[in-house]
Amino acid sequence: MNPIIAGDVRLSRIPWLCLCVLGLTLLGATTEALAHAVAEGDKGYIQEISGIQLLPFVYLGAKHMVTGYDHILFLFGVIFFLYRLQHIAIYVSLFALGHSTTMLAGVYFGIGINSYIIDAIIGFSIVYKALDNLGAFQRWLGYQPNTKVATLVFGFCHGFGLSSKILDYNISPDGLLPNLLAFNVGVEVGQLLALAVILIAMGFWRRSPSFLRHAYTANVVMMTAGFVLIGYQLTGWFVS
């Protein structure tokens, strides 16, 4: 087979791969695992340990980010139309700043928010970013809201989502601050790993002429996933 044709065939599969990943996210949003839930084994570990445990908390933070489909979807939306690395770095840094600030402050000062409500807001952040990528606000409102401010604000929301869960597990005050800092380092490591995978996939996809054709569909699927998460969390809030 001609290598150029073969390359085009491989590239043509990228958008469908991305759409399949988003579709699996929809399925994941309807399972019993909440957006910021910690696995039962990790929950027991957090409740039982005390003292400074840096490496375990780095691992737990990285695991949370890599398996957190809400984080992944939001990051996917944030970088969807960003092509320059410096622009990607700015937006990812704003998200990390917001996420880190409220996660650390929320746990350290005991600021808890109802998990269902904050996770519904996080679902709304995914919907918002998808609508932003589709140019809906420019059409509806006649102007473009500040995307950097929105990324920072929603970063705050994602951080409160995690802090609320950690507070539910009554983490030991012994070594609390170092462990939280280690957890946050892990979160950032996990975010960089997830971002690297997304950027590689997006890099291949953008080289394909099908990118612009499928960009609309991908963002509609992402928006649908956000609405499913909102509905799931609000239903849990009403019946709990």
Side-chain angles (χ1 to χ4, degrees):
M1 180 180 289
N2 187 302
I4 297 178
I5 296 176
D8 290 341
V9 171
R10 286 193 296 270
L11 287 174
S12 67
R13 294 174 181 173
I14 297 296
W16 296 110
L17 176 61
C18 293
L19 293 178
C20 287
V21 171
L22 291 176
L24 290 174
T25 300
L26 281 172
L27 179 61
T30 59
T31 65
E32 292 182 0
L34 302 179
H36 286 280
V38 178
E40 285 300 316
D42 296 339
K43 173 183 176 180
Y45 182 78
I46 291 173
Q47 290 176 329
E48 292 176 4
I49 64 173
S50 63
I52 299 176
Q53 305 283 343
L54 299 183
L55 289 180
F57 274 92
V58 169
Y59 165 76
L60 290 173
K63 179 182 178 181
H64 165 76
M65 175 57 76
V66 171
T67 59
Y69 58 82
D70 55 343
H71 296 309
I72 303 302
L73 275 178
F74 186 73
L75 281 175
F76 178 73
V78 166
I79 70 168
F80 196 91
F81 286 120
L82 296 179
Y83 293 87
R84 296 184 178 181
L85 286 178
Q86 58 264 40
H87 294 162
I88 293 172
I90 290 172
Y91 279 89
V92 172
S93 297
L94 286 171
F95 179 63
L97 175 62
H99 187 279
S100 301
T101 300
T102 50
M103 190 277 287
L104 292 170
V107 177
Y108 191 78
F109 295 106
I111 304 172
I113 300 176
N114 184 283
S115 295
Y116 291 113
I117 299 300
I118 193 62
D119 283 347
I121 294 173
I122 290 171
F124 173 75
S125 74
I126 298 170
V127 173
Y128 178 95
K129 193 56 201 172
L131 289 173
D132 186 32
N133 289 343
L134 294 170
F137 301 120
Q138 291 177 323
R139 293 195 301 271
W140 296 347
L141 306 177
Y143 73 95
Q144 174 61 48
N146 191 307
T147 54
K148 292 185 178 67
V149 172
T151 301
L152 178 63
V153 170
F154 284 127
F156 290 145
C157 296
H158 281 248
F160 272 127
L162 178 56
S163 67
S164 298
K165 289 296 181 184
I166 294 177
L167 286 172
D168 289 341
Y169 300 144
N170 298 318
I171 184 172
S172 172
D174 185 15
L176 176 61
L177 184 57
N179 288 339
L180 286 178
L181 291 173
F183 188 91
N184 191 64
V185 169
V187 166
E188 302 313 320
V189 170
Q191 178 171 279
L192 289 175
L193 292 174
L195 183 63
V197 173
I198 294 173
L199 287 176
I200 291 172
M202 292 292 290
F204 280 108
W205 187 15
R206 286 167 177 166
R207 289 167 53 192
S208 168
S210 67
F211 174 68
L212 292 179
R213 293 201 308 270
H214 294 290
Y216 177 86
T217 302
N219 279 279
V220 169
V221 173
M222 183 172 68
M223 179 174 59
T224 303
F227 276 123
V228 170
L229 180 57
I230 293 171
Y232 179 71
Q233 299 298 340
L234 291 181
T235 299
W237 180 52
F238 281 120
V239 302
S240 63

Coordinates of all heavy atoms in Angstrom, one line a residue, residues 6-98:
A6 N -1.7 5.0 3.2 CA -1.8 4.4 4.5 C -1.8 5.4 5.6 O -2.5 5.2 6.6 CB -0.6 3.4 4.7
G7 N -1.0 6.4 5.5 CA -0.9 7.5 6.6 C -2.3 8.2 6.6 O -2.8 8.5 7.7
D8 N -2.9 8.4 5.5 CA -4.2 9.1 5.5 C -5.2 8.2 6.1 O -6.1 8.7 6.8 CB -4.6 9.4 4.0 CG -3.7 10.5 3.4 OD1 -3.1 11.3 4.2 OD2 -3.7 10.6 2.2
V9 N -5.2 6.9 5.9 CA -6.1 6.0 6.5 C -6.0 6.0 8.0 O -7.0 6.1 8.7 CB -5.9 4.6 5.9 CG1 -6.8 3.6 6.7 CG2 -6.3 4.5 4.5
R10 N -4.7 6.0 8.5 CA -4.5 6.0 9.9 C -5.0 7.3 10.5 O -5.6 7.3 11.6 CB -3.0 5.8 10.2 CG -2.5 4.4 10.0 CD -1.2 4.2 10.7 NE -0.2 5.1 10.0 CZ 0.6 4.7 9.0 NH1 0.4 3.5 8.4 NH2 1.5 5.5 8.5
L11 N -4.7 8.4 9.8 CA -5.2 9.7 10.3 C -6.7 9.8 10.3 O -7.3 10.4 11.2 CB -4.6 10.8 9.4 CG -3.1 11.1 9.6 CD1 -2.6 12.1 8.6 CD2 -2.8 11.6 11.0
S12 N -7.4 9.2 9.4 CA -8.8 9.3 9.3 C -9.5 8.6 10.5 O -10.6 8.8 10.8 CB -9.3 8.6 8.0 OG -9.1 7.2 8.0
R13 N -8.7 7.7 11.1 CA -9.3 7.0 12.3 C -9.2 7.8 13.6 O -9.9 7.5 14.5 CB -8.5 5.6 12.5 CG -8.7 4.6 11.3 CD -7.8 3.4 11.6 NE -7.9 2.5 10.5 CZ -7.2 1.4 10.3 NH1 -6.2 1.2 11.2 NH2 -7.3 0.6 9.3
I14 N -8.4 8.8 13.6 CA -8.2 9.6 14.8 C -9.5 10.2 15.3 O -9.8 10.1 16.5 CB -7.1 10.6 14.6 CG1 -5.8 10.0 14.3 CG2 -7.0 11.5 15.8 CD1 -5.2 9.1 15.4
P15 N -10.3 10.9 14.4 CA -11.5 11.6 15.0 C -12.5 10.6 15.5 O -13.1 10.8 16.6 CB -12.1 12.3 13.8 CG -11.4 11.7 12.6 CD -10.1 11.3 13.0
W16 N -12.6 9.4 14.9 CA -13.5 8.4 15.4 C -13.0 7.8 16.7 O -13.8 7.5 17.6 CB -13.7 7.3 14.4 CG -14.3 7.8 13.1 CD1 -13.7 7.9 11.9 CD2 -15.6 8.3 13.0 NE1 -14.6 8.5 11.0 CE2 -15.8 8.7 11.7 CE3 -16.7 8.4 13.9 CZ2 -17.0 9.2 11.2 CZ3 -17.9 8.9 13.4 CH2 -18.0 9.3 12.1
L17 N -11.7 7.7 16.9 CA -11.1 7.3 18.2 C -11.4 8.2 19.3 O -11.9 7.9 20.3 CB -9.6 7.1 18.0 CG -8.8 6.7 19.3 CD1 -9.3 5.4 19.8 CD2 -7.3 6.7 19.1
C18 N -11.3 9.5 18.9 CA -11.6 10.6 19.9 C -13.1 10.5 20.3 O -13.5 10.7 21.4 CB -11.3 12.0 19.4 SG -9.5 12.2 19.2
L19 N -14.0 10.3 19.3 CA -15.4 10.3 19.5 C -15.8 9.0 20.4 O -16.6 9.1 21.2 CB -16.2 10.3 18.2 CG -16.1 11.6 17.4 CD1 -16.9 11.4 16.1 CD2 -16.6 12.7 18.2
C20 N -15.1 7.9 20.1 CA -15.3 6.7 20.9 C -14.9 7.0 22.4 O -15.6 6.5 23.3 CB -14.5 5.6 20.4 SG -15.2 4.9 18.8
V21 N -13.8 7.7 22.6 CA -13.4 8.0 24.0 C -14.4 8.8 24.7 O -14.8 8.6 25.8 CB -12.0 8.7 24.0 CG1 -11.7 9.2 25.3 CG2 -10.9 7.7 23.5
L22 N -14.9 9.8 23.9 CA -16.0 10.7 24.5 C -17.2 9.9 24.8 O -17.9 10.1 25.8 CB -16.3 11.8 23.6 CG -15.2 12.9 23.4 CD1 -15.6 13.9 22.4 CD2 -14.9 13.6 24.7
G23 N -17.6 8.9 23.9 CA -18.7 8.1 24.1 C -18.6 7.2 25.4 O -19.5 7.1 26.1
L24 N -17.4 6.7 25.6 CA -17.1 5.9 26.8 C -17.3 6.8 28.0 O -17.6 6.3 29.1 CB -15.8 5.3 26.7 CG -15.6 4.1 25.7 CD1 -14.2 3.7 25.6 CD2 -16.5 3.0 26.0
T25 N -16.9 8.0 27.9 CA -17.1 9.0 29.0 C -18.5 9.1 29.4 O -18.9 9.2 30.6 CB -16.5 10.3 28.7 OG1 -15.1 10.2 28.3 CG2 -16.6 11.3 29.8
L26 N -19.4 9.2 28.4 CA -20.8 9.2 28.7 C -21.3 8.0 29.5 O -22.0 8.1 30.4 CB -21.6 9.2 27.4 CG -21.7 10.6 26.6 CD1 -22.4 10.4 25.3 CD2 -22.5 11.6 27.4
L27 N -20.8 6.8 29.1 CA -21.1 5.6 29.8 C -20.6 5.7 31.3 O -21.2 5.3 32.2 CB -20.5 4.4 29.1 CG -20.8 3.0 29.8 CD1 -22.3 2.7 29.9 CD2 -20.1 1.9 29.0
G28 N -19.3 6.2 31.4 CA -18.7 6.2 32.7 C -19.5 7.2 33.6 O -19.5 7.0 34.8
A29 N -20.1 8.2 33.1 CA -20.8 9.2 33.9 C -22.0 8.6 34.5 O -22.6 9.2 35.4 CB -21.1 10.4 33.0
T30 N -22.5 7.5 33.9 CA -23.8 7.0 34.4 C -23.5 5.8 35.4 O -24.5 5.1 35.8 CB -24.6 6.5 33.2 OG1 -23.9 5.5 32.5 CG2 -25.0 7.6 32.3
T31 N -22.3 5.5 35.7 CA -22.0 4.4 36.6 C -22.0 5.0 38.0 O -22.2 6.1 38.3 CB -20.6 3.8 36.3 OG1 -19.6 4.8 36.6 CG2 -20.5 3.3 34.9
E32 N -21.8 4.1 39.0 CA -21.8 4.5 40.4 C -20.6 5.3 40.8 O -20.7 6.0 41.8 CB -21.9 3.2 41.3 CG -23.2 2.5 41.1 CD -23.3 1.3 42.1 OE1 -22.3 1.1 42.8 OE2 -24.3 0.6 42.0
A33 N -19.6 5.3 40.0 CA -18.4 6.1 40.3 C -18.7 7.6 40.0 O -18.9 8.0 38.9 CB -17.2 5.6 39.5
L34 N -18.7 8.4 41.1 CA -18.9 9.8 40.9 C -17.6 10.5 40.3 O -16.6 9.9 40.3 CB -19.3 10.5 42.2 CG -20.5 9.9 42.9 CD1 -20.7 10.6 44.3 CD2 -21.7 10.0 42.1
A35 N -17.8 11.7 39.8 CA -16.7 12.4 39.2 C -15.5 12.5 40.0 O -14.3 12.4 39.6 CB -17.1 13.7 38.7
H36 N -15.6 12.7 41.3 CA -14.5 12.9 42.2 C -14.4 11.8 43.3 O -13.8 12.0 44.3 CB -14.6 14.3 42.9 CG -14.2 15.4 41.9 ND1 -12.9 15.7 41.6 CD2 -15.0 16.2 41.2 CE1 -12.9 16.7 40.8 NE2 -14.1 17.0 40.5
A37 N -15.1 10.7 43.1 CA -15.1 9.6 44.1 C -13.7 9.0 44.1 O -13.0 8.9 43.1 CB -16.1 8.6 43.7
V38 N -13.3 8.6 45.3 CA -12.0 7.9 45.5 C -12.3 6.4 45.6 O -13.3 6.0 46.3 CB -11.3 8.5 46.7 CG1 -10.0 7.7 47.0 CG2 -11.0 9.9 46.6
A39 N -11.5 5.6 45.0 CA -11.8 4.1 45.1 C -11.8 3.7 46.5 O -11.2 4.3 47.4 CB -10.7 3.4 44.3
E40 N -12.6 2.6 46.7 CA -12.8 2.1 48.1 C -11.4 1.8 48.8 O -11.2 2.1 50.0 CB -13.7 0.9 48.1 CG -15.1 1.2 47.9 CD -15.7 2.2 49.0 OE1 -15.4 1.9 50.1 OE2 -16.4 3.1 48.6
G41 N -10.5 1.2 48.0 CA -9.2 0.9 48.6 C -8.4 2.1 49.0 O -7.8 2.2 50.1
D42 N -8.5 3.1 48.1 CA -7.8 4.4 48.5 C -8.5 5.1 49.6 O -7.8 5.7 50.4 CB -7.8 5.3 47.2 CG -7.0 4.7 46.1 OD1 -6.2 3.9 46.3 OD2 -7.3 5.1 44.9
K43 N -9.8 5.0 49.7 CA -10.6 5.6 50.8 C -10.1 5.0 52.1 O -9.8 5.8 53.1 CB -12.1 5.4 50.6 CG -12.9 5.8 51.7 CD -14.4 5.4 51.5 CE -15.3 5.8 52.7 NZ -16.7 5.4 52.4
G44 N -10.0 3.7 52.2 CA -9.6 3.1 53.4 C -8.2 3.4 53.8 O -7.9 3.7 55.0
Y45 N -7.3 3.5 52.8 CA -5.9 3.9 53.0 C -5.8 5.3 53.6 O -5.1 5.6 54.6 CB -5.1 3.8 51.7 CG -3.7 4.1 51.9 CD1 -2.8 3.2 52.4 CD2 -3.2 5.3 51.5 CE1 -1.5 3.5 52.6 CE2 -1.8 5.6 51.6 CZ -1.0 4.7 52.2 OH 0.4 5.0 52.3
I46 N -6.6 6.3 53.0 CA -6.6 7.7 53.4 C -7.1 7.7 54.9 O -6.5 8.5 55.7 CB -7.5 8.5 52.5 CG1 -6.8 8.7 51.1 CG2 -7.7 9.9 53.1 CD1 -7.7 9.4 50.1
Q47 N -8.1 7.0 55.2 CA -8.6 7.0 56.6 C -7.7 6.4 57.6 O -7.7 6.8 58.8 CB -10.0 6.3 56.6 CG -11.1 7.0 55.8 CD -12.4 6.2 55.8 OE1 -12.3 5.0 55.8 NE2 -13.5 6.9 55.7
E48 N -6.9 5.5 57.2 CA -6.1 4.7 58.2 C -4.7 5.3 58.4 O -4.2 5.2 59.5 CB -5.9 3.2 57.7 CG -7.2 2.5 57.8 CD -7.1 1.1 57.2 OE1 -5.9 0.7 56.9 OE2 -8.1 0.4 57.1
I49 N -4.1 5.9 57.4 CA -2.7 6.4 57.6 C -2.7 7.7 58.4 O -3.6 8.4 58.4 CB -2.0 6.5 56.3 CG1 -2.7 7.6 55.4 CG2 -2.0 5.2 55.5 CD1 -1.9 7.9 54.2
S50 N -1.5 8.0 59.0 CA -1.3 9.2 59.6 C 0.2 9.6 59.5 O 1.0 8.7 59.2 CB -1.7 9.2 61.1 OG -0.9 8.2 61.8
G51 N 0.6 10.8 59.8 CA 1.9 11.2 59.6 C 2.2 11.6 58.1 O 1.3 11.5 57.3
I52 N 3.4 12.0 57.9 CA 3.8 12.4 56.5 C 4.0 11.2 55.6 O 4.9 10.4 55.9 CB 5.1 13.3 56.6 CG1 4.8 14.6 57.4 CG2 5.5 13.7 55.2 CD1 6.0 15.4 57.6
Q53 N 3.3 11.1 54.6 CA 3.3 10.0 53.6 C 3.4 10.6 52.2 O 2.4 10.6 51.5 CB 2.1 9.1 53.8 CG 1.9 8.6 55.2 CD 2.9 7.4 55.5 OE1 3.5 6.8 54.6 NE2 3.0 7.1 56.7
L54 N 4.5 11.1 51.8 CA 4.6 11.9 50.6 C 4.3 11.1 49.3 O 3.5 11.4 48.5 CB 5.9 12.6 50.5 CG 6.2 13.6 51.6 CD1 7.5 14.3 51.4 CD2 5.1 14.7 51.8
L55 N 5.1 10.0 49.1 CA 5.0 9.2 47.9 C 3.6 8.6 47.7 O 3.1 8.7 46.6 CB 6.1 8.2 47.9 CG 7.5 8.7 47.7 CD1 8.5 7.5 47.6 CD2 7.6 9.5 46.4
P56 N 3.0 8.1 48.7 CA 1.6 7.5 48.5 C 0.6 8.6 48.1 O -0.2 8.4 47.3 CB 1.3 7.0 49.9 CG 2.6 6.6 50.5 CD 3.5 7.7 50.1
F57 N 0.8 9.8 48.7 CA -0.2 10.9 48.3 C 0.1 11.4 46.9 O -0.8 11.8 46.2 CB -0.2 12.0 49.3 CG -1.1 11.7 50.5 CD1 -0.7 11.1 51.6 CD2 -2.4 12.1 50.4 CE1 -1.5 10.8 52.7 CE2 -3.3 11.8 51.4 CZ -2.9 11.2 52.6
V58 N 1.4 11.4 46.5 CA 1.7 11.8 45.1 C 1.0 10.8 44.1 O 0.4 11.2 43.1 CB 3.2 11.8 44.9 CG1 3.5 11.9 43.4 CG2 3.9 13.0 45.6
Y59 N 1.1 9.5 44.5 CA 0.5 8.5 43.7 C -1.0 8.6 43.6 O -1.6 8.6 42.5 CB 0.8 7.1 44.2 CG 0.0 6.0 43.7 CD1 0.1 5.5 42.4 CD2 -1.1 5.4 44.4 CE1 -0.7 4.5 41.9 CE2 -1.9 4.4 43.9 CZ -1.7 4.0 42.6 OH -2.5 3.0 42.1
L60 N -1.6 8.9 44.8 CA -3.1 9.0 44.8 C -3.5 10.2 44.0 O -4.6 10.2 43.3 CB -3.6 9.2 46.3 CG -3.5 7.9 47.1 CD1 -3.8 8.3 48.6 CD2 -4.4 6.8 46.6
G61 N -2.8 11.3 44.1 CA -3.1 12.5 43.3 C -3.0 12.3 41.8 O -3.9 12.7 41.0
A62 N -2.0 11.6 41.4 CA -1.8 11.3 40.0 C -2.9 10.4 39.5 O -3.5 10.6 38.4 CB -0.4 10.7 39.7
K63 N -3.2 9.4 40.3 CA -4.2 8.4 39.9 C -5.6 9.1 39.8 O -6.4 8.8 38.8 CB -4.3 7.3 41.0 CG -5.4 6.3 40.7 CD -5.5 5.3 41.8 CE -6.6 4.2 41.6 NZ -6.7 3.2 42.7
H64 N -5.9 10.0 40.7 CA -7.1 10.8 40.6 C -7.3 11.5 39.3 O -8.3 11.5 38.7 CB -7.3 11.7 41.8 CG -8.4 12.7 41.6 ND1 -9.7 12.4 41.7 CD2 -8.3 14.0 41.2 CE1 -10.4 13.5 41.4 NE2 -9.6 14.5 41.1
M65 N -6.2 12.3 38.9 CA -6.3 13.1 37.7 C -6.4 12.2 36.5 O -7.2 12.5 35.6 CB -5.1 14.0 37.6 CG -5.0 14.8 36.4 SD -6.5 15.8 36.1 CE -6.2 17.2 37.2
V66 N -5.6 11.2 36.4 CA -5.6 10.3 35.2 C -6.9 9.6 35.0 O -7.4 9.4 33.9 CB -4.4 9.3 35.2 CG1 -4.5 8.3 34.1 CG2 -3.1 10.1 35.2
T67 N -7.6 9.2 36.1 CA -8.8 8.5 36.0 C -10.1 9.4 36.1 O -11.2 9.0 36.1 CB -8.9 7.4 37.1 OG1 -8.8 8.0 38.4 CG2 -7.8 6.4 36.9
G68 N -9.8 10.7 36.3 CA -10.9 11.7 36.5 C -11.5 12.1 35.1 O -10.9 13.1 34.5
Y69 N -12.5 11.5 34.6 CA -13.0 11.8 33.3 C -13.5 13.2 33.1 O -13.5 13.8 32.1 CB -14.1 10.8 32.8 CG -15.3 10.8 33.8 CD1 -16.3 11.7 33.7 CD2 -15.4 9.8 34.7 CE1 -17.4 11.7 34.5 CE2 -16.5 9.7 35.6 CZ -17.5 10.7 35.5 OH -18.5 10.6 36.3
D70 N -14.0 13.8 34.2 CA -14.4 15.2 34.2 C -13.3 16.2 33.9 O -13.4 17.1 33.1 CB -15.2 15.6 35.4 CG -14.4 15.4 36.7 OD1 -13.4 14.6 36.6 OD2 -14.8 15.9 37.7
H71 N -12.1 15.9 34.6 CA -11.0 16.7 34.3 C -10.5 16.6 32.9 O -10.1 17.5 32.2 CB -9.8 16.3 35.2 CG -10.1 16.5 36.7 ND1 -10.5 17.7 37.2 CD2 -9.9 15.7 37.8 CE1 -10.6 17.6 38.5 NE2 -10.3 16.4 38.9
I72 N -10.5 15.3 32.4 CA -10.0 15.0 31.1 C -10.8 15.7 30.0 O -10.3 16.3 29.1 CB -9.9 13.5 30.8 CG1 -9.1 12.8 31.9 CG2 -9.4 13.2 29.4 CD1 -7.7 13.3 31.9
L73 N -12.1 15.6 30.2 CA -13.1 16.3 29.3 C -12.9 17.8 29.2 O -12.9 18.4 28.2 CB -14.5 15.9 29.6 CG -15.1 14.6 29.1 CD1 -16.5 14.4 29.5 CD2 -15.0 14.6 27.5
F74 N -12.7 18.4 30.4 CA -12.6 19.8 30.5 C -11.2 20.2 29.8 O -11.2 21.2 29.0 CB -12.6 20.3 31.9 CG -12.6 21.8 32.0 CD1 -13.7 22.6 31.7 CD2 -11.5 22.5 32.5 CE1 -13.7 23.9 31.8 CE2 -11.5 23.9 32.6 CZ -12.6 24.6 32.2
L75 N -10.2 19.5 30.1 CA -8.9 19.8 29.5 C -9.0 19.6 28.0 O -8.4 20.4 27.2 CB -7.8 18.9 30.0 CG -7.2 19.3 31.4 CD1 -6.2 18.2 31.9 CD2 -6.5 20.6 31.3
F76 N -9.6 18.6 27.5 CA -9.8 18.4 26.1 C -10.5 19.5 25.5 O -10.1 20.0 24.4 CB -10.7 17.1 25.9 CG -11.0 16.8 24.5 CD1 -10.0 16.3 23.6 CD2 -12.3 16.9 24.0 CE1 -10.3 15.9 22.3 CE2 -12.6 16.6 22.7 CZ -11.6 16.1 21.8
G77 N -11.6 20.1 26.1 CA -12.2 21.2 25.6 C -11.4 22.5 25.6 O -11.4 23.3 24.6
V78 N -10.6 22.6 26.6 CA -9.8 23.9 26.8 C -8.7 23.9 25.6 O -8.5 25.0 25.1 CB -9.1 23.9 28.1 CG1 -8.0 24.9 28.2 CG2 -10.1 24.2 29.2
I79 N -8.1 22.8 25.3 CA -7.0 22.9 24.3 C -7.5 22.5 22.9 O -6.7 22.5 22.0 CB -5.9 21.9 24.7 CG1 -6.3 20.4 24.5 CG2 -5.4 22.2 26.1 CD1 -5.2 19.4 24.6
F80 N -8.8 22.3 22.7 CA -9.3 21.9 21.5 C -8.9 22.7 20.3 O -8.5 22.2 19.2 CB -10.9 21.8 21.5 CG -11.4 20.9 20.4 CD1 -11.7 19.6 20.6 CD2 -11.8 21.5 19.2 CE1 -12.2 18.8 19.6 CE2 -12.3 20.7 18.2 CZ -12.5 19.4 18.4
F81 N -8.9 24.0 20.4 CA -8.6 24.9 19.4 C -7.3 25.7 19.7 O -7.1 26.8 19.1 CB -9.7 25.9 19.0 CG -10.8 25.2 18.3 CD1 -12.1 25.2 18.8 CD2 -10.6 24.6 17.1 CE1 -13.2 24.6 18.2 CE2 -11.7 24.0 16.4 CZ -13.0 24.0 16.9
L82 N -6.5 25.2 20.6 CA -5.2 25.9 20.9 C -4.1 25.1 20.2 O -3.9 23.9 20.3 CB -4.9 25.8 22.4 CG -5.9 26.6 23.3 CD1 -5.5 26.4 24.8 CD2 -6.0 28.1 22.9
Y83 N -3.3 25.9 19.4 CA -2.3 25.2 18.6 C -0.9 25.5 19.1 O 0.1 24.8 18.9 CB -2.4 25.7 17.2 CG -3.7 25.2 16.5 CD1 -4.9 25.9 16.6 CD2 -3.7 24.0 15.8 CE1 -6.0 25.5 16.0 CE2 -4.8 23.6 15.1 CZ -6.0 24.3 15.2 OH -7.1 23.8 14.7
R84 N -0.7 26.7 19.7 CA 0.7 27.0 20.2 C 0.9 26.6 21.6 O 0.0 26.7 22.5 CB 0.9 28.6 20.1 CG 0.8 29.1 18.7 CD 1.1 30.6 18.7 NE 1.1 31.1 17.4 CZ 1.3 32.4 17.0 NH1 1.6 33.3 18.0 NH2 1.3 32.8 15.8
L85 N 2.1 26.0 21.9 CA 2.4 25.5 23.2 C 2.3 26.5 24.3 O 1.9 26.2 25.4 CB 3.8 24.8 23.2 CG 3.9 23.5 22.5 CD1 5.3 23.0 22.5 CD2 2.9 22.5 23.1
Q86 N 2.7 27.8 24.0 CA 2.6 28.8 25.0 C 1.2 29.1 25.4 O 0.9 29.4 26.6 CB 3.4 30.1 24.6 CG 2.8 30.7 23.3 CD 3.6 30.3 22.1 OE1 4.0 29.1 22.0 NE2 3.9 31.2 21.2
H87 N 0.3 29.0 24.5 CA -1.1 29.3 24.8 C -1.7 28.1 25.6 O -2.4 28.3 26.6 CB -1.9 29.4 23.5 CG -1.6 30.6 22.7 ND1 -1.9 30.8 21.4 CD2 -1.0 31.8 23.1 CE1 -1.5 32.0 21.0 NE2 -0.9 32.6 22.0
I88 N -1.3 26.9 25.2 CA -1.7 25.7 26.0 C -1.2 25.8 27.4 O -1.9 25.5 28.4 CB -1.2 24.4 25.3 CG1 -1.9 24.2 24.0 CG2 -1.5 23.2 26.2 CD1 -1.4 23.1 23.2
A89 N 0.1 26.2 27.6 CA 0.7 26.3 28.9 C -0.1 27.3 29.8 O -0.2 27.1 31.0 CB 2.2 26.7 28.8
I90 N -0.5 28.5 29.2 CA -1.2 29.5 29.9 C -2.5 29.0 30.5 O -2.8 29.1 31.7 CB -1.4 30.7 29.0 CG1 -0.1 31.5 28.8 CG2 -2.4 31.7 29.7 CD1 -0.2 32.6 27.8
Y91 N -3.3 28.3 29.6 CA -4.6 27.9 30.0 C -4.5 26.7 31.0 O -5.3 26.6 32.0 CB -5.4 27.5 28.8 CG -6.0 28.6 28.1 CD1 -5.4 29.3 27.1 CD2 -7.3 29.1 28.4 CE1 -5.9 30.4 26.5 CE2 -7.9 30.1 27.8 CZ -7.2 30.8 26.8 OH -7.8 31.9 26.2
V92 N -3.6 25.8 30.8 CA -3.4 24.6 31.7 C -2.9 25.1 33.0 O -3.3 24.6 34.1 CB -2.4 23.6 31.1 CG1 -2.1 22.5 32.1 CG2 -3.1 23.0 29.8
S93 N -2.0 26.2 33.0 CA -1.5 26.7 34.3 C -2.7 27.4 35.1 O -2.7 27.3 36.3 CB -0.4 27.7 34.0 OG 0.7 27.1 33.4
L94 N -3.6 28.1 34.4 CA -4.7 28.7 35.0 C -5.6 27.7 35.7 O -6.1 27.9 36.8 CB -5.5 29.6 34.0 CG -4.8 30.9 33.6 CD1 -5.6 31.5 32.4 CD2 -4.8 31.9 34.7
F95 N -5.8 26.6 34.9 CA -6.7 25.5 35.5 C -6.0 24.9 36.7 O -6.7 24.7 37.7 CB -6.9 24.5 34.4 CG -7.7 23.3 34.9 CD1 -9.1 23.5 35.3 CD2 -7.2 22.0 34.9 CE1 -9.8 22.4 35.7 CE2 -8.0 21.0 35.3 CZ -9.3 21.1 35.7
A96 N -4.7 24.7 36.6 CA -3.9 24.1 37.7 C -3.9 25.0 38.9 O -4.1 24.6 40.1 CB -2.5 23.8 37.3
L97 N -3.8 26.3 38.7 CA -3.8 27.3 39.8 C -5.1 27.3 40.5 O -5.2 27.2 41.7 CB -3.5 28.7 39.2 CG -3.6 29.8 40.2 CD1 -2.6 29.7 41.3 CD2 -3.4 31.2 39.5
G98 N -6.2 27.3 39.7 CA -7.5 27.3 40.4 C -7.8 26.0 41.1 O -8.3 25.9 42.2

